Amino acid sequence: MFRDLLASLTLEEKASLCAGADMWHARGVERLGLPSWMMTDGPHGLRKQKPSGEGAGLFDSVPATCFPPAANLAATWNRDCLERVGRAVARECLAEDVGVILGPGVNIKRSPLCGRNFEYFSEDPLVAGELAAALIEGCQAEGVGTSLKHFAANNQEKYRLLSDSVVDERTLREIYLPAFEIAVRKAAPWTVMCAYNRVNGTYASENRWLLTEVLRDEWGFDGVLMTDWGACNDRVAGLEAGQDLEMPGPSHRHEKAIVEAVREGRLSEAVLDRTVERLLALASRVAMRRKEGFKADFDAHHRLAREVAAESVVLLKNENSFLPLEPKGKIAFIGEFAKKPRFQGGGSSHIEPTRLDDPWTEANNLGGFELIYAAGYSSKGDKPDPALIEEARKAAAAADRVVLFVGLTDRIESEGYDRTHLDLPEAHAALLEAVVGANPNVAVALSNGAPVAMPWLDRVPAVVEGYLGGQAAGGAMVDVLFGRVNPSGHLAETFPLRLEDTPAYLWYPGGRGMTEYREGVFVGYRHYETKKAPVLFPFGHGLSYTAFGFSNLRVPSGTVDGSKPVTVTVDVTNEGPVAGKIAVQLYVGDVERSVPRPEKELKAFEKVSLEPGERKTVSLTLDFRAWAFWSPERKAWTIEEGEFTVSVGASSADIRVSAPVAVRDFTAVPSFPDRDSILPEFRAFPVGAKFADILSAPFKASLGHLDPDSPEAKMAETMTEEIPLRAMLNFAAGSISEELTDAVIAVIRGERPESDLEGMKGWK
Ligand code: BGC
């Protein structure tokens, strides 16, 4: 389609298109009527630098709705919320003439310490991928592109431009890539942004395996691959690997490098042309969807931000129905966050909000009760201020009930650096001690982008996790505290008891040049559930002001064909007094596993809304991948035939109903035994079974004198069954010929007829 256009470009023009025009614009080809276009952060709202701004302009952007960040969006477990946020963000982009928004980020929360976890969805790839896909679909349906980032294995801020993420392929395939894969396959983002770090020795921006073999060839991505800002290293290698657009630009040295490489025959012009075609296609896509004079409805977007923020609030603990608060008597709001909320994280996603709700004002608007306030700490520092704490203690003592607003500060978590511990800032922890000492009737309302430890949990009746919530978080929190909204958020990550318990603890963040993902696929709940290790709050946890019952789990009977999707249904009933929503979670565990696999893995989920007393049948679909693991030997997704457990519940640790399912892998390529195979592997084939009997007969005969219950007999039997053929032959004292061995293997593979074996030495 762009062949003609391409043909009219000079080599220099083509090379110049491969980098941005400036910090935020891609180049167009003015003389051919293709204008330059703008991309900008993202992800949970528009961060468009004011025209006067310099550099990255982190604090100099036009006002835009600050929607809840991904940590919140994930806690909704609600695809519909994400889709609507995507649409709203896109409309603000159209109003500002932005063609592509830089997000969402779907990197997996490998450790709760990653400073950017607030911008990422989950420790689970299915949650991250499904929700990101919904956001992308919403945004792109309005005509604004997205940039799925940061591809891939960018799971820490420490040394993010230097570090080599050393991850085995199975772990990449099962944990770190599927969120990208789901989003690409389902929602086809217009662009993907590659990460700063190296992946197994090669920079993500130059990693041909990642960018071309996996992303494009396997998953079918046909959009533009851009670098993260400043992630381009060897420009020519990047192009060859499949990377299209260097950001920011311009980069005269890289333009020159491309031109020279083509002229000297080191880079095929066809490779450059392929990239330029993709860039032209994107530029024209953006141009076609431009809407001059478009106006966004900021009031409606603020309301949406509040609705979604409220849906993301997770009620972690609620002893004796302490919440919701009745609007009566004297209530103290303590903590500066009640008046100056921390509602977003720092870094490239930092949005200049159109307005800002705070809990104090929102609660006052409710009326009917006396509301008092004490700051308790100051945003200026994280050290305790005795005078502020004393004032707060008095306020707590004077009130009937207290809501304590604490959490993390920007100094502790942000893009650019990781946390080093899971504690609250000292000032918040000291305040909490003083307040619970003065009045035990305390609900803790948390504002933080990632889990904190709660050594104080037993001393408070209620804890509400608000994450960072966006510009309407203050109103949303009040909606939940006072029961105007029934909380339905669920954790998309585990809250550990201690940092030392977290799966990556020993290896995170690694050294200056490398971080080894030695915990493998055992990330988040996959680790805790498999090790049966206690946690503070499990993955998927989230309470409600009502109660839900699960019944009537129906799984397919007989043996399931693993290659085809199957449907599982379960009845969910609202057994309590108020309407509510719940994230119904389906986990699959491979009972007969011969490789280490997690005890259970989330394979489907659905957010369901129920009136009091209402029952709904929820349908969940499981496809091939629900049963499969990535086999490094076969280099393919593989199902091990046998029994699996399908369980449904309200968290990874709160399973309500489960059933066994037998799965057959109808797609499997039979794997034939070879010289490295053990006898049971030969026995799967009739000729192999006979061969195994011949091989083991002399051993059996020589061990005939042993008591079958003796340890010696057990050892001999185990050895005979677990010894590979090549070693077995060493003990066969020449009674089995090489010729026979090769012939048996060839017969099993169907390469020779069985009659060939007749008369061979050793074959009886
Ligand atoms: C971040 C990206 C962001 C880009 C542009 C980078 O430092 O990693 O997520 O989109 O800057 O601001």
Side-chain angles (χ1 to χ4, degrees):
M1 180 184 174
F2 295 94
R3 289 264 148 200
D4 294 347
L5 209 53
L6 189 68
S8 63
L9 296 176
T10 64
L11 175 60
E12 285 74 11
E13 277 176 325
K14 287 193 268 191
S16 78
L17 283 171
C18 298
D22 58 24
M23 194 72 178
W24 305 116
H25 289 84
R27 285 196 161 130
V29 192
E30 302 292 340
R31 73 175 171 85
L32 300 174
L34 210 54
S36 142
W37 56 273
M38 184 169 206
M39 68 202 94
T40 192
D41 291 303
H44 44 267
L46 180 65
R47 181 180 71 87
K48 182 186 172 189
Q49 196 175 348
K50 285 187 181 147
S52 53
E54 298 277 321
L58 292 187
F59 300 101
D60 196 13
S61 38
V62 300
T65 308
C66 179
F67 288 98
N72 290 77
L73 295 175
T76 69
W77 291 63
N78 188 339
R79 295 173 182 86
D80 181 56
C81 288
L82 277 282
E83 206 255 351
R84 287 159 66 210
V85 168
R87 284 184 181 271
V89 169
R91 289 196 289 267
E92 296 192 18
C93 288
L94 289 174
E96 287 288 341
D97 198 19
V98 168
V100 169
I101 185 149
L102 304 175
V106 290
N107 298 97
I108 292 295
K109 300 183 187 199
R110 180 185 174 211
S111 162
L113 297 179
C114 173
R116 221 171 169 182
N117 276 358
F118 71 90
E119 243 190 281
Y120 298 142
F121 290 88
S122 179
E123 67 189 24
D124 180 84
L126 184 78
V127 174
E130 286 283 321
L131 296 181
L135 187 91
I136 294 168
E137 275 165 2
C139 191
Q140 295 189 167
E142 295 285 332
V144 172
T146 53
S147 195
L148 185 66
K149 67 190 187 183
H150 309 88
F151 190 61
N154 174 194
N155 309 93
Q156 64 190 56
E157 290 301 281
K158 183 80 181 164
Y159 293 133
R160 64 177 167 156
L161 280 90
L162 286 173
S163 196
D164 183 7
S165 299
V166 178
V167 204
D168 65 89
E169 184 170 358
R170 179 176 166 210
T171 302
L172 279 171
R173 297 280 190 172
E174 291 187 23
I175 304 293
Y176 295 98
L177 296 183
F180 291 97
E181 180 180 3
I182 294 167
V184 165
R185 287 190 194 270
K186 280 194 138 179
W190 293 6
T191 79
V192 168
M193 185 193 293
C194 41
Y196 284 124
N197 50 282
R198 285 175 286 176
V199 181
N200 294 325
T202 308
Y203 282 105
S205 62
E206 290 154 24
N207 197 314
R208 196 187 139 75
W209 178 76
L210 260 185
L211 305 188
T212 295
E213 291 177 32
V214 174
L215 178 65
R216 292 197 193 277
D217 297 347
E218 283 184 32
W219 304 345
F221 175 69
D222 64 356
V224 161
L225 251 168
M226 65 174 80
T227 66
D228 198 344
W229 266 231
C232 184
N233 304 292
D234 180 332
R235 189 65 192 92
V236 174
L239 274 173
E240 261 164 341
Q243 176 230 109
D244 301 312
L245 180 63
E246 173 184 4
M247 286 304 293
S251 174
H252 301 300
R253 68 191 172 104
H254 285 159
E255 274 171 42
K256 209 166 140 235
I258 295 171
V259 170
E260 277 173 11
V262 172
R263 293 235 161 92
E264 289 164 17
R266 285 180 286 111
L267 174 69
S268 145
E269 192 156 0
V271 169
L272 178 63
D273 286 354
R274 198 189 48 191
T275 275
V276 173
E277 256 191 276
R278 290 195 283 251
L279 289 166
L280 294 175
L282 179 58
S284 111
R285 208 173 198 179
V286 170
M288 276 177 352
R289 288 166 175 81
R290 270 187 164 144
K291 288 201 172 132
E292 227 171 287
F294 187 87
K295 295 249 177 311
D297 183 345
F298 291 108
D299 289 336
H301 292 177
H302 187 76
R303 285 195 297 275
L304 175 63
R306 180 166 178 155
E307 182 194 327
V308 175
E311 181 140 356
S312 75
V313 171
V314 186
L315 181 61
L316 292 175
K317 175 175 180 179
N318 195 21
E319 224 167 57
N320 302 323
S321 299
F322 183 82
L323 293 175
L325 296 171
E326 266 188 75
K328 66 174 197 200
K330 194 178 206 171
I331 300 178
F333 271 20
I334 295 179
E336 202 191 63
F337 284 169
K339 284 195 177 176
K340 286 193 200 163
R342 178 160 181 261
F343 61 98
Q344 64 174 327
S348 58
S349 69
H350 192 276
I351 289 158
E352 181 62 39
T354 55
R355 62 174 98 153
L356 183 58
D357 287 355
D358 68 80
W360 166 253
T361 310
E362 293 296 325
N364 268 312
N365 288 345
L366 296 179
F369 60 100
E370 190 187 344
L371 191 60
I372 58 173
Y373 167 78
Y377 53 83
S378 152
S379 52
K380 294 197 180 71
D382 291 336
K383 293 275 175 230
D385 178 328
L388 290 178
I389 289 180
E390 180 51 22
E391 185 195 22
R393 199 192 57 75
K394 284 191 186 135
D400 302 319
R401 285 153 301 156
V402 177
V403 182
L404 180 62
F405 293 85
V406 288
L408 295 177
T409 61
D410 286 325
R411 280 176 295 275
I412 294 180
E413 79 181 342
S414 166
E415 177 180 344
Y417 46 86
D418 293 328
R419 281 189 293 167
T420 52
H421 57 75
L422 296 181
D423 302 332
L424 291 175
E426 274 179 62
H428 294 213
L431 174 66
L432 192 144
E433 289 301 323
V435 166
V436 297
N439 187 340
N441 298 315
V442 177
V444 175
L446 289 166
S447 301
N448 45 309
V452 291
M454 301 181 196
W456 36 264
L457 183 65
D458 288 347
R459 287 150 62 210
V460 297
V463 182
V464 193
E465 177 56 78
Y467 283 107
L468 295 177
Q471 69 180 44
M477 180 55 86
V478 166
D479 287 342
V480 168
L481 290 172
F482 288 89
R484 293 153 62 96
V485 169
N486 186 357
S488 69
H490 292 257
L491 296 178
E493 61 190 326
T494 307
F495 274 44
L497 281 165
R498 307 176 310 157
L499 180 61
E500 292 84 342
D501 299 338
T502 59
Y505 175 69
L506 296 175
W507 302 287
Y508 187 96
R512 177 183 176 280
M514 179 201 277
T515 176
E516 292 176 273
Y517 287 50
R518 290 204 185 201
E519 67 284 6
V521 299
F522 295 95
V523 173
Y525 69 90
R526 287 168 165 79
H527 163 87
Y528 302 107
E529 285 290 323
T530 310
K531 288 197 79 179
K532 306 204 179 346
V535 298
L536 184 61
F537 294 109
F539 172 83
H541 172 74
L543 304 173
S544 164
Y545 296 148
T546 188
F548 297 96
F550 290 68
S551 59
N552 209 7
L553 175 66
R554 275 148 294 171
V555 298
S557 56
T559 302
V560 165
D561 174 350
S563 67
K564 305 208 172 78
V566 296
T567 303
V568 169
T569 59
V570 65
D571 292 347
V572 184
T573 312
N574 182 346
E575 295 168 345
V578 285
K581 295 183 191 175
I582 181 165
V584 176
Q585 304 159 37
L586 185 155
Y587 296 86
V588 171
D590 187 352
V591 180
E592 295 172 37
R593 50 186 187 251
S594 68
V595 293
R597 289 189 74 176
E599 182 69 18
K600 59 164 88 81
E601 297 181 89
L602 184 80
K603 294 298 175 183
F605 65 90
E606 203 61 58
K607 190 83 178 263
V608 191
S609 174
L610 293 160
E611 293 301 316
E614 193 186 1
R615 166 175 305 189
K616 273 186 187 160
T617 298
V618 182
S619 266
L620 300 150
T621 303
L622 298 175
D623 65 10
F624 174 71
R625 288 279 284 274
W627 322 106
F629 71 99
W630 178 266
S631 160
E633 286 86 31
R634 292 189 53 223
K635 286 192 128 333
W637 291 103
T638 302
I639 296 177
E640 271 193 297
E641 290 194 6
E643 188 181 323
F644 288 75
T645 302
V646 168
S647 33
V648 178
S651 86
S652 62
D654 183 10
I655 296 303
R656 307 289 186 83
V657 278
S658 52
V661 174
V663 181
R664 245 197 94 184
D665 181 8
F666 286 82
T667 64
V669 189
S671 78
F672 295 117
D674 55 21
R675 281 173 180 252
D676 217 28
S677 303
I678 54 176
L679 295 192
E681 288 160 354
F682 277 90
R683 288 210 176 89
F685 305 85
V687 168
K690 185 170 169 190
F691 188 54
D693 287 343
I694 295 172
L695 282 167
S696 54
F699 287 86
K700 290 223 171 99
S702 69
L703 300 171
H705 64 284
L706 293 176
D707 170 359
D709 286 334
S710 66
E712 292 80 7
K714 186 175 176 190
M715 179 185 148
E717 191 187 319
T718 314
M719 273 188 68
T720 344
E721 291 301 291
E722 293 184 3
I723 187 170
L725 174 62
R726 59 180 161 71
M728 193 82 173
L729 292 172
N730 296 337
F731 295 103
S735 62
I736 307 289
S737 68
E738 295 291 328
E739 189 199 359
L740 175 63
T741 306
D742 289 341
V744 167
I745 291 173
V747 170
I748 291 174
R749 288 172 179 269
E751 293 159 6
R752 290 177 67 173
E754 198 176 328
S755 54
D756 278 10
L757 300 174
E758 297 309 324
M760 277 192 188
K761 188 180 163 219
W763 187 251
K764 315 176 187 100

